[in-house]
Amino acid sequence: MDFVCPGDPAVWDGRYFGPCFADLVLGVAGNAIAAVAVVCLFIAKRNAPRAQNVRRGLSEKLFVFGVPGFAACLSLVGLTMLVKKKFEGKDVEDYELFFTCSQFIAWISVTIVCVSGAWFEIIYNPIMCFCWILKILLEIPHLQYKLTVLKAMASFMEIISFCTATTFGLFVIVAAVVSQSGNRRKVNSIEAPLILNDEKAECEITNMVKDHNLWELLTFKFVNPMMDIGITRQLDFADLLELPAELRATSCYDRLLSSWTAEYQNHRDNSSLLRAMSRSYGWRYLRLGLLKVTNDSISFVSPLLLNKFIRFLQQGSGGMDGYILAISLGLTSIIKSFLDSQYSFRLAKLKLMLRSSIMGIVYRKCLCLSLAERSRFSEGEIQTFMSVDADRTINLCNSLHDAWSLPLQIGFALYLLYTQVNYAFLSGLAITIILIPVNKWISTRIASATEKMMKQKDRRISCAGEVLAHIRTVKMYSWEKLFTERLVERRESEVKHLATRKYLDAWCVYFWATTPTLFSLFTFSIFAIMGHTLDAATVFTCVALFNTLISPLNSFPWVINGMIDAVISSRRLSNYLSTPEHNSSELTASADILKHQFKRDTEVIHNPMAFVLQDVCCSWSSSSVAEPSIVLRDISLQLQKGLFIAIVGEVGSGKSSLLNSVIGETRVVSGSISSCGSIAYVPQVPWILSGSLRDNILLGKEFDPRRYDEVIQACALDVDISAMARGDMSHIGEKGTNLSGGQRARLALARALYQNPDVYLFDDILSAVDSQVASWILEKAIMGPQLMQKTKLLSTHNLQAISAADMIVVMANGLVKWFGTLESFLATPYSRISKPDSSSPTSFTASVKDKTPIVSCELKTDVILEDDSVVAYEERNDQDEAEARKEGRVELSVYKKYATFAGWSIVVLIFLSAFLMQASRNGNDLWLTYWVDTNTSTNNTVFFLIILAMFGIINSLFTLGRAFSFAFGGLRAAIYTHASLLENIISAPVCFFDQNPSGRILNRLSSDLYTIDDSLPFILNIFVANFFSLLGTLVVLSYSQVSFLLILLPLWLIYRKLQFYYRSTSREVRRLDSVARSPIYSSFTETLDGSSTIRAFQKEGFFLERFIQHVTLYQKTSYSELIASLWLSLRLQLLAGFIILFIAMVATVSFNSSSLVNFGTPGLVGLALSYAAPVVSLLNGFLTTFTETEKEMISVERIAEYVGIAQEELKGSESPPRNWPTEGKIEFVHVTLRYKPELPPALNDVSFLIAPAMQVGIIGRTGAGKSSILNALFRLVPICNGRILVDGIDVAKVAIRELRAHFAVVPQSPFLFDGSLRENLDPFNTTTDIRVWEVLEKCHMKGEIESIGGLDIHVKESGASFSVGQRQLLCLARAILKSSKVLCLDECTANVDNQTAVLLQNTISAECKGMTVLTIAHRISTVMKMDNILVLDQGKLVEEGNPEVLMTRKSSRFARFAKASQM
């Protein structure tokens, strides 16, 4: 060094680098590298397109042009002053001139390049970033020796110069990271087109699928393409990340299913889902434990390094130790951030695998569980298994590792505390130990409250599902208030347990938030009382250890709660999954092989039997019921292949139960049932899928145009399809809401015919269509050429069908009373069951002579689609195919809405208590700092301790206030949200329910409401705490280390950029997540309704595959959301690591005895570093919780959507008398009804007058507009022209619920709700029991009700305890009990036998004297004795008159109907 620095040859003097070496070698080298890099890059990039500089932000331009210019001027001033001194003969070292000159050249090079225009490609370049970092690092020795020898002004200029270089370097690095990634992916965040073309989109997807390298996996860089799209436009499903192979729903499902199967085979009823999960994923989970151990261990390195670092500062020793310790502190934080993110990533992946697995096996169980076995669970319960229990069970993944990790962390932290404060730490430990049994007791109570809450939630969801499934009927009965009260009552029970849970949670929050403060207070107090002197190193090492303790202590109660919740939910799921399955449904290849083997064996021996039932006794009870109620007794039948068998009997005789026993839906108590060949089943209530009409018919089978057309024609669907705008691709709403009853029946029949099985089971399918259509179906479909050699079982009351049957089975009271041919049947007394009128048997006998049904040739032209069915909804653009979702950020109005629900006074109280809680905590730490910096003796210990204790008590009080005000506010919001949502849904018009599947609405009432009940208050509480904690941390850091202010602005800019980049994507992904979740629940609800049909068709595999596709999409959204949040988390943790490094380096440089500039005392430095360490979790926690809060707020947004829906007009301008209608006079005056303005009218200028006490029949083809008359009268759909008068009062002026309450109705779909039979018949308790029994007797149900337990028997959901015919009779009894002057019957005798229908008709005639009766009928016999007939066609009234008069006219349409029905 003598040659280079003759006067100062030393490179290292023992404490610092020599000034000459620092300036001439290190400093000049750093500046030269930066200058050369800038020039080389300028030459290389001089042809870069200037377009990239367009539309840069003002702040960006100020940095790029302003900072280098300012620094160049500063260097020039310094250089000028040195040159001036040299000319004046003062002592100026040459190496100082060289350094300042090189510094000026470096800055002027940057300035010239920026002005030249090609700065973007040069400044935002990784090479430039690296060179600039090197320049800053090499300048540190220069700054260090300058601060020890110069005066204050010169030191200030050096500090400004160094800070300018650091700030510019920081800006360059951040800009390079953000902008460079955008360039390389060719998606410029500002100039990219709003919609990418298909080629680009395909290219993006292809890139995403590629395997990621190690660096991308460590930094989650592979999510960048998706996030780039997220800031330019709304994300779609195609933009999401592709799933890794291990996360695909199919492989996850297969793995858990095989484990569960093995578990069930070994343990049967004691099977445990947890054991099956550990068999599938246990090893993977254990490996994660190793990563967690490493991660937890590193977290304790920081406090130890901090202790050494503060002791180094206290001693004021020089050397490289300070730099090594400072760099070590920063590096530890950086390494921990990578380990943290990798552990979270792998744990979340495992949870996603488990979620899709559990959802898959729960759905599969639904497919495999017979109706009898399923009866032990309510529908609400089964839906909760999917929506809530699955999520709770997978949360065990978090809790299990934490259960051993947290005690380990606590133990190690306590040991390190012992090394610092000896046994004084035991006082703090005593507080913690005292709180353990308290927390245990609280956890037990929380678990108990949760279990009770879940039961009430099941009941509420079950009731809500029931209401949504029958909302049209509920509205016609004007039962909105009744069901609102039922739901509110169940909600109140749920909220009672929720409140217990919330307030116990508040105590948990209080204990874990005050524990660190109390720990600190007691530990330092005892340490000081023991005579020890508190110093900075001891105090802040302990504070760092307390901060390390916060997380384990905070988390422990939640871990216990999470484990308890998970165990409870897993037991519920295990119980459900252990239920015995349907015999023929195994969903495995082996089952298919066995089935085909059986078929081959039976064909070889030429078995002529399709079904053999031997001494069969069946029950609808599950196998868990010890004494089942028998519905079929001693049934012995042998049914040959190729026969058409009619099953007849009175209502409730067991016809449907017999068909269900054949397909295995009932529990066989004794005897045996064997069947041969494939089966198609059409239930009495047709099961319709939401989807296209073609999808409903194909049901997963390959499309065969020829067979498809034949089936369509045979089922008389061709005319219906031709009238639809999109033909057979028209969208059918959930449960076929946009089809008429006849169309639903024919669609279900078409599905059965298209499958071409060996055996057909038809459950009373002809009752839903008029007689002419029934004749067509019988001839062309059931007896048609396609089914000629097939076995057909038809439960029916239809005379034409009975006359065409090869064999007849007569049932009564669950017994087969008689079995034989038609000729023998006529000679038995049972033939009266099927005679339309016992006084005139000639028509039935005559029909036997010619067994070929005769069909009117006009059928093809007369089967007209009803305008209030498919066409009415055709132009909806398939609204319920894709759920609408909002765009952009969650609006402020949503937060205001939630605050309004919680109460503004509570919101203010929460924020005030949270602010004061944080202020008192920061005050506590600042007081400790003041104590260690000023206290040299033990004289003032008592005074310091009293102040410290006061801070602790104040903090404790405000913590308690915050915890309980939050619990109260969250609870209040939950109550008001449900009340608002329920009121709006119940008061919504019928069209709203037609356009939104019940699964989607139920999602709001279950999943979204659960978020508002539980998740949102929880995450919001953490967010508010994090916000004030971060605010307090920034204030303390700025106070204790003024140098922190230098990097505050750059940090804020980086933070703002990161959170904007992340939030733009995370919002959209969360919305996609909600949209992807809805089809899972809709599909699940749909499958629950149609599981018996699916099993009969053996389509379990098809529906499982369809469900797995929905789950896969849900996995994609969740995976994309996960990676995006980890991308942010890692970058924030790295940012916090840099803050620690910066503060430590500044402290090391400035904290020397010879330094003129000192950045605080050891106490303040210790405080700054102990506050900088948790900045990692605070920054991450703040943005994560803010984003999570925004995501959870989407549930409020979704509920607010429904709170704002259009409502029915509940108020009327005219209030009718209490006993209105007194006469029952109904007048339609030029009534026109359209379901949508752009569609043709469903009722077209219809006018008629019904005199008081008249009985009127309304007939017409399937879909002629009959139901539209009732829709108009009940104002289910508003009329667009004309008036409807009842006793002279315009119904449009009467309050809508009051109007409906004055009419009685028996709907087409009979509705019985979950409750006692007495409640079902007389929900408002206005009638005596004697009167109820009288009406039941007249409706021929008294004997049946008495035999099963009387009026107090419990009716299951949707009246599952009764057959469809019995339900219709009970609905009729309900209507008669209402005693209204207007009674509307919508095909109420469609599902009862002819003899019962005649008896009912006589009952209606006798009981309804003086009442106006409107009857929509398919059976002509039910309207033959009416006073008047209205014949509708294409929405027009085409004929009106007395039936007897009309029968005499040859041209009468009614006469043609009557003639066809008798053939």
Side-chain angles (χ1 to χ4, degrees):
M1 286 296 295
D2 288 338
F3 174 73
V4 181
C5 303
D8 184 17
V11 174
W12 181 258
D13 63 2
R15 292 177 62 194
Y16 305 111
F17 286 109
C20 179
F21 182 79
D23 279 0
L24 202 59
V25 178
L26 299 180
V28 171
N31 289 318
I33 288 167
V36 170
V38 168
V39 173
C40 291
L41 285 169
F42 175 69
I43 294 165
K45 305 281 185 180
R46 63 183 181 277
N47 296 321
R50 292 176 65 90
Q52 290 183 354
N53 297 330
V54 178
R55 296 173 63 191
R56 291 281 154 195
L58 180 64
S59 58
E60 193 172 2
K61 288 178 179 175
L62 280 173
F63 257 95
V64 169
F65 298 117
V67 173
F70 170 74
C73 292
L74 201 65
S75 301
L76 186 62
V77 168
L79 186 62
T80 307
M81 288 170 68
L82 286 173
V83 171
K84 185 184 174 187
K85 282 180 183 178
K86 188 83 170 170
F87 280 117
E88 287 173 355
K90 292 180 180 176
D91 186 23
V92 177
E93 299 292 347
D94 289 339
Y95 55 77
E96 285 187 68
L97 274 171
F98 278 118
F99 173 78
T100 312
C101 189
S102 69
Q103 199 175 42
F104 173 69
I105 291 167
W107 280 117
I108 204 72
S109 303
V110 174
T111 308
I112 292 166
V113 164
C114 289
V115 173
S116 71
W119 59 271
F120 180 85
E121 285 286 333
I122 298 164
I123 303 298
Y124 296 172
N125 191 289
I127 297 170
M128 180 66 185
C129 294
F130 175 76
C131 293
W132 204 266
I133 290 168
L134 202 61
K135 167 182 154 56
I136 293 165
L137 291 173
L138 292 173
E139 275 190 23
I140 290 172
H142 166 81
L143 177 69
Q144 189 180 30
Y145 93 77
K146 283 286 183 184
L147 291 176
T148 60
V149 296
L150 292 181
K151 293 179 183 177
M153 183 61 196
S155 295
F156 179 72
M157 283 190 68
E158 288 291 343
I159 291 167
I160 291 293
S161 174
F162 183 77
C163 287
T164 306
T166 306
T167 306
F168 184 71
L170 194 63
F171 169 75
V172 166
I173 293 160
V174 174
V177 169
V178 174
S179 303
Q180 189 69 19
S181 60
N183 285 343
R184 277 162 52 188
R185 286 185 300 278
K186 302 178 183 178
V187 182
N188 188 291
S189 62
I190 295 168
E191 295 166 11
L194 288 174
I195 299 171
L196 299 174
N197 61 42
D198 291 341
E199 287 178 18
K200 278 188 180 178
E202 280 176 23
C203 184
E204 283 169 11
I205 290 165
T206 308
N207 289 339
M208 287 181 199
V209 178
K210 287 178 184 173
D211 289 336
H212 311 301
N213 60 41
L214 182 63
W215 177 245
E216 286 178 330
L217 285 170
L218 277 173
T219 59
F220 307 106
K221 205 175 171 188
F222 57 90
V223 78
N224 285 358
M226 183 185 81
M227 296 180 86
D228 283 333
I229 298 167
I231 57 171
T232 58
R233 63 172 171 83
Q234 189 182 15
L235 283 174
D236 210 342
F237 288 112
D239 304 318
L240 299 175
L241 295 176
E242 283 300 306
L243 282 174
E246 60 192 345
L247 278 180
R248 287 185 187 137
T250 316
S251 57
C252 298
Y253 161 76
D254 288 341
R255 175 180 286 190
L256 187 60
L257 178 62
S258 60
S259 297
W260 171 256
T261 307
E263 171 69 18
Y264 184 68
Q265 284 169 354
N266 293 333
H267 298 91
R268 289 292 163 184
D269 291 343
N270 295 319
S271 300
S272 165
L273 179 63
L274 293 180
R275 278 199 297 263
M277 284 161 57
S278 71
R279 189 180 278 116
S280 299
Y281 298 103
W283 176 237
R284 183 188 291 267
Y285 188 63
L286 285 173
R287 281 183 306 183
L288 270 178
L290 296 173
L291 185 60
K292 184 153 184 66
V293 169
T294 310
N295 189 25
D296 291 346
S297 304
I298 285 180
S299 64
F300 289 103
V301 173
S302 292
L304 297 174
L305 286 171
L306 180 65
N307 181 272
K308 285 190 174 297
F309 185 68
I310 295 172
R311 291 206 186 281
F312 164 81
L313 295 181
Q314 281 177 321
Q315 291 160 8
S317 54
M320 294 294 289
D321 291 358
Y323 294 106
I324 292 166
L325 287 168
I327 291 167
S328 298
L329 273 169
L331 278 177
T332 305
S333 180
I334 288 164
I335 291 165
K336 189 173 185 325
S337 62
F338 278 108
L339 285 172
D340 256 343
S341 57
Q342 283 304 307
Y343 174 72
S344 302
F345 172 51
R346 291 171 198 289
L347 183 67
K349 267 174 71 176
L350 183 62
K351 285 172 71 179
L352 285 180
M353 288 180 211
L354 271 171
R355 187 184 70 182
S356 62
S357 306
I358 293 171
M359 280 184 159
I361 63 171
V362 168
Y363 182 80
R364 176 195 168 279
K365 194 70 184 181
C366 164
L367 288 171
C368 297
L369 212 55
S370 68
L371 296 180
E373 290 299 339
R374 206 176 81 190
S375 64
R376 67 168 81 174
F377 308 102
S378 69
E379 276 198 31
E381 229 178 324
I382 296 172
Q383 282 164 346
T384 309
F385 292 148
M386 180 71 82
S387 59
V388 178
D389 288 308
D391 283 340
R392 285 188 164 185
T393 303
I394 62 168
N395 283 336
L396 192 65
C397 291
N398 297 63
S399 308
L400 270 181
H401 272 322
D402 288 342
W404 61 260
S405 165
L406 298 183
L408 204 68
Q409 289 179 51
I410 292 167
F412 195 56
L414 292 174
Y415 169 73
L416 291 177
L417 278 171
Y418 166 72
T419 63
Q420 297 298 315
V421 292
N422 293 329
Y423 291 103
F425 85 94
L426 289 173
S427 57
L429 181 61
I431 295 292
T432 312
I433 291 170
I434 289 166
L435 289 177
I436 287 173
V438 176
N439 280 336
K440 174 74 175 68
W441 179 81
I442 289 173
S443 299
T444 310
R445 293 293 305 274
I446 287 174
S448 171
T450 302
E451 198 162 0
K452 289 172 185 171
M453 184 186 83
M454 292 307 294
K455 282 180 182 173
Q456 295 303 326
K457 184 183 175 68
D458 289 345
R459 287 183 66 227
R460 178 178 62 80
I461 291 172
S462 179
C463 184
E466 204 171 42
V467 175
L468 293 173
H470 300 277
I471 190 69
R472 187 179 287 267
T473 308
V474 169
K475 286 189 173 291
M476 288 177 90
Y477 281 133
S478 189
W479 279 357
E480 292 98 332
K481 190 180 176 186
L482 172 74
F483 276 98
T484 301
E485 285 170 0
R486 281 167 66 89
L487 282 164
V488 166
E489 182 191 334
R490 291 178 187 196
R491 175 66 174 171
E492 280 172 357
S493 301
E494 185 185 351
V495 165
K496 180 183 162 189
H497 300 301
L498 179 68
T500 306
R501 183 184 162 131
K502 286 280 171 203
Y503 291 125
L504 288 170
D505 273 351
W507 279 113
C508 268
V509 168
Y510 168 68
F511 286 134
W512 62 245
T514 53
T515 300
T517 309
L518 292 173
F519 205 119
S520 159
L521 173 65
F522 277 79
T523 302
F524 291 140
S525 300
I526 298 297
F527 189 67
I529 289 166
M530 285 167 69
H532 299 288
T533 304
L534 285 172
D535 63 3
T538 302
V539 166
F540 292 108
T541 303
C542 288
V543 167
L545 287 168
F546 295 151
N547 285 332
T548 308
L549 269 173
I550 285 175
S551 180
L553 288 171
N554 286 358
S555 305
F556 211 60
W558 302 110
V559 168
I560 296 166
N561 293 346
M563 285 179 75
I564 292 166
D565 285 352
V567 169
I568 290 169
S569 287
S570 70
R571 280 180 189 159
R572 281 162 55 92
L573 286 171
S574 299
N575 181 34
Y576 171 64
L577 294 170
S578 300
T579 311
E581 293 184 0
H582 186 271
N583 295 333
S584 62
S585 307
E586 289 300 325
L587 291 182
T588 57
S590 59
D592 293 335
I593 292 163
L594 285 172
K595 178 168 65 73
H596 292 306
Q597 186 65 43
F598 171 71
K599 191 173 178 181
R600 281 202 301 274
D601 292 346
T602 53
E603 284 170 358
V604 167
I605 60 170
H606 303 292
N607 187 353
M609 296 299 165
F611 296 105
V612 178
L613 291 85
Q614 292 180 337
D615 302 321
V616 173
C617 289
C618 290
S619 169
W620 280 111
S621 308
S622 70
S623 55
S624 61
V625 178
E627 296 181 6
S629 173
I630 305 297
V631 292
L632 294 177
R633 295 175 186 278
D634 304 321
I635 305 288
S636 290
L637 283 174
Q638 291 191 347
L639 306 177
Q640 290 183 357
K641 289 181 181 175
L643 293 184
F644 173 27
I645 299 141
I647 304 169
V648 300
E650 293 182 354
V651 172
S653 59
K655 301 184 296 298
S656 296
S657 296
L658 180 63
L659 292 178
N660 275 290
S661 68
V662 167
I663 58 173
E665 293 304 319
T666 58
R667 173 188 164 195
V668 179
V669 179
S670 64
S672 65
I673 301 172
S674 58
S675 61
C676 177
S678 54
I679 296 174
Y681 169 60
V682 183
Q684 198 166 7
V685 178
W687 176 62
I688 307 297
L689 275 167
S690 56
S692 73
L693 192 135
R694 182 185 288 185
D695 288 342
N696 265 282
I697 294 171
L698 298 183
L699 207 68
K701 193 165 178 149
E702 200 174 324
F703 180 63
D704 177 353
R706 186 185 62 78
R707 179 164 183 80
Y708 184 78
D709 290 339
E710 286 173 3
V711 167
I712 292 294
Q713 286 181 4
C715 297
L717 280 169
D718 46 346
V719 180
D720 301 74
I721 289 170
S722 65
M724 300 179 194
R726 293 178 59 196
D728 65 350
M729 297 311 289
S730 299
H731 187 78
I732 308 300
E734 190 186 32
K735 295 185 179 177
T737 48
N738 47 346
L739 298 178
S740 68
Q743 287 165 336
R744 287 198 288 270
R746 286 182 283 129
L747 182 56
L749 176 65
R751 176 196 296 152
L753 263 60
Y754 187 80
Q755 301 304 314
N756 195 25
D758 302 316
V759 180
Y760 292 86
L761 306 179
F762 303 120
D763 195 353
D764 201 17
I765 57 167
L766 300 177
S767 63
V769 297
D770 62 60
S771 55
Q772 225 166 338
V773 175
S775 298
W776 175 274
I777 288 171
L778 197 56
E779 182 191 15
K780 303 292 183 185
I782 297 172
M783 301 295 292
Q786 293 181 12
L787 274 64
M788 193 61 74
Q789 303 300 319
K790 307 285 185 177
T791 309
K792 304 170 284 288
L793 272 73
L794 172 66
S795 156
T796 187
H797 307 296
N798 186 284
L799 304 181
Q800 299 169 45
I802 296 167
S803 66
D806 299 313
M807 301 293 283
I808 296 170
V809 177
V810 180
M811 297 202 68
N813 301 320
L815 297 164
V816 172
K817 290 289 187 181
W818 188 89
F819 172 57
T821 61
L822 179 66
E823 287 75 12
S824 309
F825 174 68
L826 290 173
T828 67
Y830 301 115
S831 59
R832 276 179 293 177
I833 296 167
S834 302
K835 291 181 183 178
D837 189 339
S838 57
S839 62
S840 56
T842 50
S843 61
F844 178 61
T845 312
S847 69
V848 178
K849 293 175 184 174
D850 183 4
K851 288 174 68 172
T852 308
I854 300 166
V855 183
S856 168
C857 61
E858 296 177 11
L859 179 73
K860 289 286 285 181
T861 55
D862 283 353
V863 180
I864 303 298
L865 180 71
E866 187 176 13
D867 289 322
D868 59 350
S869 53
V870 176
V871 172
Y873 301 94
E874 189 51 46
E875 300 303 323
R876 294 184 308 166
N877 295 323
D878 298 346
Q879 285 179 31
D880 42 356
E881 281 192 48
E883 185 171 357
R885 63 188 175 100
K886 299 232 178 182
E887 296 179 28
R889 69 178 63 190
V890 176
E891 293 169 7
L892 187 63
S893 60
V894 178
Y895 291 91
K896 285 181 180 174
K897 191 100 178 169
Y898 186 72
T900 307
F901 284 141
W904 283 101
S905 56
I906 294 295
V907 172
V908 171
L909 182 64
I910 287 167
F911 275 87
L912 189 63
S913 57
F915 171 75
L916 292 170
M917 183 190 95
Q918 186 59 40
S920 59
R921 187 166 180 183
N922 293 144
N924 182 74
D925 292 339
L926 286 166
W927 181 252
L928 262 176
T929 306
Y930 175 69
W931 184 356
V932 298
D933 281 337
T934 58
N935 190 29
T936 52
S937 67
T938 56
N939 298 335
N940 296 326
T941 301
V942 175
F943 168 71
F944 283 114
L945 281 175
I946 289 169
I947 302 295
L948 197 66
M950 283 176 64
F951 273 117
I953 293 163
I954 292 166
N955 177 263
S956 181
L957 289 172
F958 286 124
T959 304
L960 193 67
R962 190 202 94 189
F964 275 87
S965 55
F966 231 112
F968 180 76
L971 201 59
R972 190 171 168 182
I975 293 165
Y976 280 102
T977 305
H978 178 265
S980 248
L981 177 65
L982 183 62
E983 186 185 345
N984 278 268
I985 287 175
I986 288 285
S987 302
V990 169
C991 62
F992 169 78
F993 300 96
D994 291 337
Q995 292 167 7
N996 292 277
S998 61
R1000 188 179 298 169
I1001 302 169
L1002 207 58
N1003 201 1
R1004 259 76 169 186
L1005 284 163
S1006 58
S1007 201
D1008 288 321
L1009 202 62
Y1010 180 73
T1011 298
I1012 289 169
D1013 286 354
D1014 205 44
S1015 323
L1016 179 60
F1018 174 72
I1019 205 75
L1020 201 57
N1021 194 354
I1022 297 171
F1023 166 65
V1024 170
N1026 276 341
F1027 170 72
F1028 284 109
S1029 191
L1030 188 64
L1031 195 67
T1033 299
L1034 292 176
V1035 169
V1036 170
L1037 278 172
S1038 302
Y1039 168 76
S1040 59
Q1041 283 291 299
V1042 182
S1043 60
F1044 178 72
L1045 293 170
L1046 294 172
I1047 60 166
L1048 195 57
L1049 180 65
L1051 279 176
W1052 181 78
L1053 288 172
I1054 296 165
Y1055 183 72
R1056 190 161 167 255
K1057 192 106 177 173
L1058 282 174
Q1059 65 93 18
F1060 168 74
Y1061 194 53
Y1062 168 68
R1063 280 178 60 215
S1064 303
T1065 302
S1066 73
R1067 263 195 318 264
E1068 294 306 316
V1069 175
R1070 187 52 182 258
R1071 285 187 178 126
L1072 284 173
D1073 194 63
S1074 291
V1075 172
R1077 196 187 329 136
S1078 282
I1080 291 173
Y1081 298 120
S1082 293
S1083 173
F1084 190 53
T1085 307
E1086 212 165 46
T1087 304
L1088 275 173
D1089 290 338
S1091 59
S1092 58
T1093 308
I1094 294 167
R1095 283 189 290 274
F1097 280 92
Q1098 294 179 339
K1099 290 287 179 184
E1100 298 99 323
F1102 167 71
F1103 279 90
L1104 182 62
E1105 188 183 343
R1106 191 165 161 263
F1107 180 78
I1108 292 292
Q1109 285 172 0
H1110 292 318
V1111 175
T1112 302
L1113 190 62
Y1114 188 30
Q1115 287 280 86
K1116 271 185 83 169
T1117 57
S1118 302
Y1119 179 66
S1120 301
E1121 189 181 0
L1122 163 72
I1123 300 300
S1125 65
L1126 287 170
W1127 176 93
L1128 172 78
S1129 170
L1130 177 66
R1131 278 146 186 80
L1132 289 181
Q1133 288 186 69
L1134 292 174
L1135 199 62
F1138 171 77
I1139 294 170
I1140 292 169
L1141 184 63
F1142 175 81
I1143 290 172
M1145 290 299 282
V1146 167
T1148 307
V1149 169
S1150 68
F1151 220 90
N1152 289 284
S1153 54
S1154 55
S1155 178
L1156 296 174
V1157 180
N1158 199 317
F1159 286 110
T1161 62
L1164 287 174
V1165 172
L1167 182 68
L1169 284 171
S1170 66
Y1171 265 69
V1175 160
V1176 175
S1177 55
L1178 276 179
L1179 269 175
N1180 186 24
F1182 173 68
L1183 189 50
T1184 304
T1185 50
F1186 176 61
T1187 310
E1188 281 299 318
T1189 301
E1190 196 173 43
K1191 288 173 185 175
E1192 300 292 356
M1193 273 289 170
I1194 289 169
S1195 288
V1196 180
E1197 180 186 71
R1198 281 160 59 82
I1199 283 175
E1201 247 181 85
Y1202 277 21
V1203 168
I1205 54 176
Q1207 303 285 285
E1208 289 182 318
E1209 294 176 32
L1210 298 181
K1211 292 183 180 178
S1213 58
E1214 194 171 327
S1215 185
R1218 191 171 180 180
N1219 60 344
W1220 176 83
T1222 52
E1223 297 176 351
K1225 179 185 172 186
I1226 300 173
E1227 188 177 0
F1228 272 54
V1229 184
H1230 301 295
V1231 172
T1232 301
L1233 182 144
R1234 293 176 193 268
Y1235 288 92
K1236 273 202 165 186
E1238 67 272 16
L1239 297 172
L1243 290 178
N1244 192 354
D1245 197 31
V1246 172
S1247 296
F1248 59 81
L1249 173 66
I1250 299 172
M1254 277 189 79
Q1255 295 198 4
V1256 179
I1258 304 170
I1259 67 165
R1261 303 274 181 234
T1262 300
K1266 303 185 293 293
S1267 296
S1268 295
I1269 295 283
L1270 296 191
N1271 286 346
L1273 180 62
F1274 281 82
R1275 287 176 60 192
L1276 291 176
V1277 181
I1279 59 173
C1280 46
N1281 193 30
R1283 293 192 306 159
I1284 301 171
L1285 305 173
V1286 176
D1287 284 0
I1289 294 176
D1290 189 343
V1291 297
K1293 294 179 181 177
V1294 181
I1296 203 159
R1297 288 184 187 170
E1298 193 178 358
L1299 168 78
R1300 293 167 186 166
H1302 282 94
F1303 300 154
V1305 64
V1306 180
Q1308 187 174 0
S1309 301
F1311 171 45
L1312 297 177
F1313 54 84
D1314 187 22
S1316 74
L1317 183 63
R1318 181 76 171 76
E1319 284 177 317
N1320 268 278
L1321 294 172
D1322 182 24
F1324 299 106
N1325 204 21
T1326 56
T1327 315
T1328 63
D1329 283 3
I1330 296 167
R1331 173 64 181 153
V1332 173
W1333 281 115
E1334 279 176 16
V1335 173
L1336 283 172
E1337 188 173 12
K1338 285 167 184 172
C1339 293
H1340 308 282
M1341 282 297 290
K1342 184 179 179 182
E1344 178 68 26
I1345 301 303
E1346 281 178 331
S1347 69
I1348 58 174
L1351 295 176
D1352 293 326
I1353 60 156
H1354 185 79
V1355 179
K1356 292 180 185 174
E1357 283 179 273
S1358 305
S1361 327
F1362 298 99
S1363 71
V1364 178
Q1366 288 172 323
R1367 278 179 251 164
Q1368 281 190 321
L1369 296 180
L1370 290 170
C1371 288
L1372 177 61
R1374 181 196 288 153
I1376 293 170
L1377 282 168
K1378 196 169 184 181
S1379 303
S1380 169
K1381 280 290 179 182
V1382 175
L1383 172 62
C1384 302
L1385 308 172
D1386 193 353
E1387 300 171 4
C1388 75
T1389 58
N1391 293 297
V1392 297
D1393 59 88
N1394 293 317
Q1395 194 175 9
T1396 308
V1398 171
L1399 291 170
L1400 286 176
Q1401 205 55 48
N1402 295 336
T1403 301
I1404 292 165
S1405 300
E1407 283 292 314
C1408 304
K1409 279 180 182 173
M1411 292 167 64
T1412 303
V1413 181
L1414 274 71
T1415 303
I1416 294 174
H1418 284 151
R1419 287 182 179 159
I1420 297 300
S1421 59
T1422 58
V1423 295
M1424 286 301 284
K1425 293 182 181 178
M1426 297 271 171
D1427 302 317
N1428 201 20
I1429 296 293
L1430 303 176
V1431 183
L1432 291 172
D1433 192 9
Q1434 298 187 54
K1436 293 181 180 177
L1437 182 61
V1438 292
E1439 195 167 84
E1440 182 181 6
N1442 184 278
E1444 292 178 7
V1445 175
L1446 293 175
M1447 285 295 288
T1448 60
R1449 296 179 191 165
K1450 290 183 179 178
S1451 60
S1452 166
R1453 292 197 183 210
F1454 176 71
R1456 289 207 301 274
F1457 271 116
K1459 187 180 176 185
S1461 71
Q1462 290 173 0
M1463 290 178 177

